[in-house]
Amino acid sequence: MYLTPKSGLFLGGSCVSAIAAVGSIFELSYGQPDLGVQVTAIILALSIPLTGFFFFAAVKDARANMK
């Protein structure tokens, strides 16, 4: 079994941050974000790299547990 609790948490974090990025894009394209433009842009700027980092960490952990 390759999926460990640690890699599962990383995948969950990746999913949550990806959903935050998509939501931020929709909010910004609408023109009137509920949290304001600055806060929504900060959420978007943080969630894009976090999505990649969490996904990469999950893959790395799963590959480390293949043996």
Side-chain angles (χ1 to χ4, degrees):
M1 175 128 195
Y2 304 130
L3 184 66
T4 63
K6 183 178 174 184
S7 61
L9 286 174
F10 284 140
L11 281 176
S14 178
C15 289
V16 168
S17 61
I19 291 168
V22 170
S24 296
I25 290 169
F26 278 113
E27 285 282 319
L28 288 170
S29 66
Y30 173 67
Q32 295 289 337
D34 291 337
L35 299 176
V37 174
Q38 185 176 9
V39 174
T40 306
I42 290 170
I43 292 170
L44 177 62
L46 291 175
S47 62
I48 290 174
L50 277 176
T51 301
F53 170 75
F54 283 140
F55 185 76
F56 178 75
V59 171
K60 185 177 176 183
D61 184 61
R63 285 186 179 170
N65 291 307
M66 287 178 70
K67 297 179 181 180

